[in-house]
Amino acid sequence: MYGFIFIGYIIIGDIMDLLHVSFRAFLSLVTLFLVTKIIGKKQVSQLSLFDYVIGISIGNFAAEMTINIDSDILFGTVAVLIYGVVAYLINVLTMKSIVLRRFFMGKPNMVIRDGVILEGGLKSVKFDINDLLEQCRSMGYFDVSEIAYALVEPDGKLSILPKAEYKPVTAKDMNIDVKDSSMCANVIIDGEIMEFNLKEIGKNKDWLLKKLKTLGKNYSDILLATVDSSGNLVTFLKNDLKSNDMLE
């Protein structure tokens, strides 16, 4: 009988530890979300070196206070909040001061100038020639000789200005009058009608249903439907097609 009591005690203890970890995980997730909201979208879209350090540190604190049940959860929460507030203050200061912006966020470094690859520029950003070629290919330039200027931005991305003869031809170059581009409105997403988006473009649900009826389609079968500025409706039906891996 004592054996059953002992086993029951262990099981109850494990359940309590599990609940404790679950609570700490939920609290750390909420804290991280709030801190990210404070810092802003820049933290998740364009990571500078400073943002990278802050992100890793906050992640470590959150993991520690979630898994290590012997650590004080209050201390972990305060640490995450302090790092978040510091990151927010630094972002505010860097918006007001170019000097601080360059110190904390960095500045662009030129790696190609007048079609010449600058070895000194590559060394300053810790790039080798293969890193440069990879970045160029990701931008659609498989021939480096087509590039006039290239800059490595503070977040590590490459910005390229092609030589004049390799620039894409624009409507302005061809003296062609074109209509201004406008955003398409998503009016159906995953079989759900976006009535607010319809209202924003001066349409309503009845208008959409009539358009779908003429096309012989049901909105519940549609993965995505968009309406452009001219009122043209484009639909993409739901399907079970799988993608094929074309490249390793």
Side-chain angles (χ1 to χ4, degrees):
M1 179 173 179
Y2 288 108
F4 286 111
I5 294 175
F6 181 71
I7 294 173
Y9 178 77
I10 293 176
I11 293 174
I12 292 174
D14 289 341
I15 293 175
M16 293 302 295
D17 287 342
L18 183 61
L19 291 175
H20 191 190
V21 170
S22 299
F23 170 74
R24 295 168 74 101
F26 176 76
L27 182 60
S28 66
L29 180 61
V30 171
T31 305
L32 281 175
F33 178 75
L34 293 176
V35 168
T36 305
K37 292 285 285 185
I38 292 173
I39 296 174
K41 293 184 178 179
K42 182 180 178 182
Q43 178 70 19
V44 295
S45 62
Q46 297 177 344
L47 283 177
S48 65
L49 183 60
F50 177 76
D51 294 326
Y52 180 73
V53 172
I54 287 290
I56 288 180
S57 300
I58 289 177
N60 285 336
F61 287 140
E64 177 69 15
M65 76 182 207
T66 299
I67 298 175
N68 188 0
I69 58 178
D70 294 327
S71 63
D72 194 320
I73 191 170
L74 179 61
F75 292 164
T77 302
V78 170
V80 171
L81 290 175
I82 288 176
Y83 267 67
V85 171
V86 169
Y88 172 77
L89 293 176
I90 293 298
N91 284 336
V92 171
L93 291 174
T94 53
M95 285 190 288
K96 298 179 181 295
S97 171
I98 294 178
V99 175
L100 290 177
R101 191 181 311 155
R102 288 177 176 175
F103 178 77
F104 284 104
M105 305 304 172
K107 60 181 181 179
N109 292 89
M110 188 171 293
V111 292
I112 298 178
R113 181 175 60 207
D114 293 326
V116 177
I117 298 175
L118 307 177
E119 291 188 66
L122 290 176
K123 290 178 181 179
S124 65
V125 294
K126 306 298 187 292
F127 268 34
D128 57 37
I129 190 64
N130 292 103
D131 295 326
L132 177 63
L133 293 175
E134 179 184 349
Q135 290 268 22
C136 289
R137 289 194 296 270
S138 68
M139 297 289 293
Y141 292 90
F142 285 73
D143 188 349
V144 182
S145 64
E146 298 178 1
I147 300 172
Y149 294 90
L151 299 170
V152 177
E153 302 293 350
D155 61 356
K157 294 180 181 178
L158 192 69
S159 297
I160 290 176
L161 177 66
K163 294 179 179 178
E165 60 268 30
Y166 297 107
K167 286 184 179 180
V169 178
T170 64
K172 184 178 180 181
D173 296 331
M174 302 294 292
N175 293 321
I176 300 174
D177 292 329
V178 294
K179 294 181 180 179
D180 290 335
S181 300
S182 61
M183 294 284 289
C184 287
N186 299 322
V187 294
I188 299 177
I189 297 177
D190 288 331
E192 297 288 336
I193 295 177
M194 304 288 106
E195 295 193 46
F196 178 80
N197 292 349
L198 283 169
K199 184 178 179 181
E200 286 292 304
I201 61 174
K203 308 294 184 183
N204 55 38
K205 184 177 180 179
D206 291 335
W207 173 87
L208 178 61
L209 293 177
K210 287 179 181 178
K211 294 283 286 187
L212 291 174
K213 187 176 181 180
T214 60
L215 296 173
K217 297 178 181 179
N218 191 311
Y219 70 86
S220 61
D221 298 326
I222 295 175
L223 179 65
L224 174 68
T226 63
V227 177
D228 62 20
S229 58
S230 300
N232 298 316
L233 177 67
V234 179
T235 62
F236 301 87
L237 294 176
K238 295 179 180 179
N239 60 73
D240 296 322
L241 298 177
K242 301 291 190 297
S243 63
N244 294 321
D245 294 329
M246 299 299 292
L247 298 173
E248 292 293 335

